[in-house]
Amino acid sequence: MPYHHILVAVDLTEECDPVIHRARELSVSNEAKLSLIHIVEPIAMAFGGDVPMDLSQLQQQQLDQAKERLERLIAKYPELSKDNCHLTYGQPKQEIHGLAKDQGCDLVVVGSHARHGLALLLGSTSNDVLHGAPCDVLAVRLKKVEN
């Protein structure tokens, strides 16, 4: 059964290129619409929500940087239009599931790293997206970047 609308979820780093390439290949071979989402997570959540300071300025900088990186990505991949690219604020799992459902997506494509040790226990966005997804999920295996 062919896919009709593919949603690719990215982190807007260089590592997202293989994920976009795979989603693009699938959209071309299925003649499917391709949409993209990036989620800016609330900073307080990274600190467990117990930070007694105003993070709104830092959060706005994070959002502005994400907008700039998204615009560069749209310029790099002509098949992505501003209309099909979504920049949201919140928890990745909820935002990706919500958009996939609202847009009628039948496949979500995410990047995935091999996890070991503490990272395995804490989980990952790709693992979160898989559970409770309203459609199929494809996790593209990302190569480990050597320092």
Side-chain angles (χ1 to χ4, degrees):
M1 181 170 77
Y3 293 110
H4 300 289
H5 191 172
I6 298 169
L7 176 63
V8 57
V10 297
D11 62 3
L12 297 179
T13 65
E14 292 298 317
E15 283 189 333
C16 75
D17 284 335
V19 181
I20 294 172
H21 286 294
R22 186 69 178 114
R24 190 171 60 176
E25 287 171 3
L26 287 166
S27 75
V28 168
S29 66
N30 286 270
E31 297 179 6
K33 179 179 178 179
L34 180 63
S35 294
L36 180 141
I37 185 171
H38 172 72
I39 300 94
V40 175
E41 291 185 73
I43 292 173
M45 289 180 189
F47 294 104
D50 296 331
V51 181
M53 63 176 91
D54 181 13
L55 299 172
S56 58
Q57 189 175 359
L58 193 56
Q59 195 76 59
Q60 188 58 50
Q61 288 174 342
Q62 190 181 23
L63 202 54
D64 292 343
Q65 288 173 351
K67 285 178 187 172
E68 287 174 25
R69 289 195 310 258
L70 183 59
E71 286 174 13
R72 286 196 300 268
L73 204 61
I74 292 168
K76 186 175 181 179
Y77 295 100
E79 54 278 304
L80 295 172
S81 71
K82 282 192 176 200
D83 295 337
N84 293 344
C85 290
H86 307 272
L87 182 62
T88 62
Y89 178 79
Q91 286 292 327
K93 177 181 175 177
Q94 283 86 359
E95 297 300 322
I96 293 167
H97 287 181
L99 186 65
K101 195 173 184 179
D102 292 347
Q103 298 277 317
C105 299
D106 43 10
L107 177 66
V108 173
V109 180
V110 295
S112 177
H113 292 278
R115 300 271 172 196
H116 303 287
L118 188 59
L120 183 63
L121 291 173
L122 295 175
S124 66
T125 298
S126 56
N127 189 46
D128 283 349
V129 171
L130 179 63
H131 297 286
C135 60
D136 291 351
V137 176
L138 172 66
V140 177
R141 179 84 183 255
L142 298 173
K143 292 180 176 67
K144 187 175 180 181
V145 179
E146 299 296 327
N147 291 342

